[in-house]
Every structure is written in structure tokens, then in C-alpha cells.
């Protein structure tokens, strides 16, 4: 497509590429939903380390499945698919802070030589392959080491924020300053804020309708656009919500506007009415 000499040559290639990309996204969404359902229904759902396999999963997207499982469960997760070699599984793993994935795989390899055929990676992400017949043994060994090394409080999902932004701070200029201060990443996380808002409307968007586009009204009366990616299952259509978010810049037709990137959204707890005092 990029090497096409004319727009007429590039257009059908671009259309084909778009169709392939849409199919890939739909496949990823289906596999992620299947993985989370399997996790909740399986014995692994009660463990410290999750290792799941489905014969219908594609080896090219097991990394995404592992990431979604780790986010949903706040536990180290491994997703396996059948590899091209007969009888072999290819796995992708994602970890949580406090557990070095490659060290875990190395320990399993030392304790049970031959269980894993090959592995590699670093603290937060790794890949491995093993014979399908060794899956149950790997699941048990992986959960056992995770159970040894992770304390119960490390399995609790905690989202740290920098607190609320005032009405004047919640602006495009603040987002531009933060964008210029990046890049953000491991060891230097992007600033996260939290405020209460009122939901004006919430619309599912995307080819798989798995994302939510909110319009939120702040205490100053201003309405701001917010995107919650993969947030359809927790969509709030009305009422007051407490939102943890980062600031983003939406670039559209050479214009810039502020957009909140939702990381967590929960209904606000109703205020407790004052106690009634009876006549003496």
C-alpha cells in the first residue's frame, strides 16, 4: 500500500488492510471475553497465578489476552495457544509489580527440567513454549510460585492518583504541558487524576462496541469528553460517577481538544442523609 505509485493503486490495498485490521480487532475482543469467562469459571480463578489455554485461540494475540487477564484479575497471567509445531503450545505471560516473570519461569525450569521447552523475557512480560501434555503441571507450578512470592495485598487492584484537578487545571493547556513533559513509562508513570462528574450521556463506540464515549459535567458546569476503552461492561448511563483519568489531546482535522482517558469509573456513593432528631 505504501509503495503504490498512485492513489488509485493504493485505495483497494488500503481497503483490504482496513478489513483485515477490523477482523483482527473483533477476534481479539472475542478471545479476551472468552479468556475472562474461562478464568472466572475455572479453578485458576481462585489461584495467585493464572495460566489458561483454548484450542481456538490464535498464537498471534495471546499477548493481548494475557494483558487483559492481568488487568481484570490483577494477577500474573499466561495465555496459551496451539503452536505451529504439532503437540506444542505457545504462551505469552504478563506480570504484576513485585513478581519477576522470567525468574519465575527459570525457577520452574530448574525444579522441573524438561517441563518448559524454551522461555525468555523480563520482569513484566515473557514468552514460553511447552508440550501440551505438560500444561496441567505448568499451571500447578506457576500458581505455586506466585502463591509463595505474592502477598494477598499485592493481588488487590490499587490505582494511585495525584488527586483532583480544579476547574481551571482541567484544561487543554494542562494536557499540552503533560504531553511535553513525557514520555511516560515504567518507573515514571503518567500522572493520573480523579474527580466527580455527572454523566450527560454514554455511547458505546468502536467496531466491536466495546469502548464508551462519555460526556461528563464537572462541578463548574463545564462538559468534557471522556473515552473509556474496553469499558462497555461497566458503562454508567446516568448519575454521578467518580472517575480516575489521565489527560489526552484529541487531534481532529488539525484542531486540538481536551479528552479525558478513563482508567476507572465507579458510581458515587449516595450521600448519607442527616440523622433526624426527635422532640425531647
Amino acid at each position: 500500500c505504501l509503495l503504490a505509485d498512485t492513489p488509485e493503486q493504493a485505495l483497494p490495498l488500503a481497503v483490504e488492510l482496513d478489513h483485515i485490521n477490523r477482523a483482527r480487532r473483533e477476534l481479539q475482543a472475542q478471545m479476551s471475553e472468552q479468556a475472562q469467562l474461562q478464568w472466572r469459571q475455572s479453578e485458576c480463578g481462585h489461584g495467585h497465578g493464572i495460566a489458561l489455554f483454548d484450542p481456538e485461540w490464535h498464537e498471534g494475540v495471546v499477548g493481548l489476552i494475557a494483558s487483559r487477564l492481568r488487568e481484570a484479575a490483577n494477577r500474573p497471567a499466561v495465555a496459551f495457544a496451539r503452536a505451529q509445531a504439532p503437540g506444542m503450545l505457545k504462551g505469552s505471560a504478563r506480570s504484576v509489580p513485585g513478581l519477576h516473570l522470567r525468574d519465575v519461569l527459570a525457577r520452574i525450569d530448574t525444579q522441573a527440567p524438561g517441563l518448559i521447552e524454551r522461555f525468555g523475557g523480563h520482569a513484566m512480560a515473557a514468552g514460553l513454549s511447552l508440550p501440551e501434555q505438560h500444561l496441567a503441571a505448568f499451571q500447578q507450578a506457576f500458581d505455586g510460585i506466585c502463591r509463595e512470592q505474592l502477598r494477598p495485598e499485592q493481588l488487590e487492584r490499587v490505582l494511585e492518583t495525584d488527586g483532583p484537578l480544579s476547574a481551571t487545571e482541567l484544561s487543554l493547556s494542562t494536557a499540552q504541558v503533560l504531553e511535553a513533559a513525557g514520555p511516560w513509562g515504567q518507573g515514571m508513570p503518567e500522572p493520573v487524576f480523579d474527580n466527580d462528574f455527572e454523566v450527560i450521556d454514554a455511547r458505546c463506540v468502536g467496531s466491536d462496541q466495546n469502548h464508551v464515549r462519555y460526556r461528563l459535567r464537572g462541578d463548574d458546569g463545564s462538559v468534557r469528553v471522556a473515552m473509556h476503552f474496553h469499558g462497555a461492561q461497566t458503562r454508567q448511563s446516568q448519575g454521578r460517577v467518580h472517575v480516575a483519568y489521565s489527560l489526552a489531546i484529541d487531534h481532529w482535522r488539525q484542531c486540538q481538544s481536551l479528552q479525558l482517558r478513563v482508567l476507572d469509573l465507579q458510581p458515587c456513593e449516595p450521600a448519607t442523609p442527616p440523622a433526624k432528631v426527635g422532640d425531647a
Side-chain angles (χ1 to χ4, degrees):
C1 179
L2 295 175
L3 293 175
D5 294 325
T6 66
E8 291 74 20
Q9 292 176 339
L11 181 59
L13 298 173
V15 170
E16 182 180 0
L17 182 61
D18 181 64
H19 288 164
I20 294 171
N21 193 39
R22 290 176 184 273
R24 176 190 57 80
R25 289 204 304 262
E26 291 177 4
L27 179 63
Q28 287 177 346
Q30 292 171 4
M31 291 169 58
S32 295
E33 290 180 7
Q34 292 169 1
Q36 293 186 39
L37 180 62
Q38 185 184 146
W39 160 60
R40 291 186 174 93
Q41 294 178 345
S42 70
E43 294 181 1
C44 293
H46 305 289
H48 282 51
I50 304 169
L52 299 179
F53 160 69
D54 191 296
E56 300 300 320
W57 290 348
H58 190 282
E59 65 175 297
V61 290
V62 287
L64 178 77
I65 295 176
S67 294
R68 295 283 184 267
L69 278 172
R70 188 269 315 276
E71 292 170 5
N74 199 53
R75 283 161 167 74
V78 190
F80 286 99
R82 285 206 169 103
Q84 294 182 356
M88 295 298 298
L89 299 181
K90 178 180 178 180
S92 186
R94 299 294 184 269
S95 191
V96 296
L99 185 84
H100 195 296
L101 260 184
R102 193 190 180 284
D103 289 351
V104 170
L105 297 179
R107 183 174 169 188
I108 294 175
D109 189 53
T110 300
Q111 292 178 346
L115 183 66
I116 303 175
E117 181 172 284
R118 65 176 64 90
F119 66 92
H122 51 83
M124 299 302 292
L128 69 153
S129 60
L130 52 79
E132 186 171 340
Q133 62 187 12
H134 292 172
L135 175 62
F138 175 83
Q139 289 172 322
Q140 184 176 0
F142 183 68
D143 178 58
I145 294 178
C146 291
R147 193 175 296 274
E148 289 178 14
Q149 297 190 9
L150 290 172
R151 302 183 304 276
E153 58 268 25
Q154 290 177 278
L155 302 180
E156 297 178 1
R157 186 170 181 262
V158 176
L159 180 60
E160 296 182 343
T161 80
D162 297 284
L165 289 178
S166 67
T168 55
E169 292 169 329
L170 196 47
S171 64
L172 177 61
S173 61
T174 303
Q176 291 169 335
V177 169
L178 292 176
E179 183 180 80
W184 311 101
Q186 186 74 20
M188 191 178 179
E190 183 179 9
V192 175
F193 310 99
D194 65 286
N195 287 79
D196 289 345
F197 297 94
E198 180 184 357
V199 177
I200 303 302
D201 61 55
R203 183 162 53 92
C204 290
V205 296
S207 60
D208 52 7
Q209 297 289 289
N210 197 32
H211 313 308
V212 184
R213 185 181 186 273
Y214 286 97
R215 288 200 308 133
L216 305 173
R217 179 184 288 123
D219 292 336
D220 63 334
S222 299
V223 177
R224 296 173 175 89
V225 175
M227 282 295 301
H228 193 185
F229 294 100
H230 308 288
Q233 292 184 345
T234 58
R235 181 173 72 97
Q236 301 293 321
S237 58
Q238 61 183 358
R240 288 187 63 78
V241 291
H242 189 72
V243 183
Y245 61 91
S246 60
L247 296 183
I249 301 175
D250 184 23
H251 300 270
W252 175 250
R253 293 183 177 176
Q254 299 182 339
C255 294
Q256 294 184 349
S257 60
L258 174 68
Q259 185 178 92
L260 310 188
R261 188 182 300 116
V262 176
L263 304 177
D264 188 74
L265 185 147
Q266 301 290 338
C268 288
E269 295 182 2
T272 303
K276 294 183 178 179
V277 180
D279 295 334

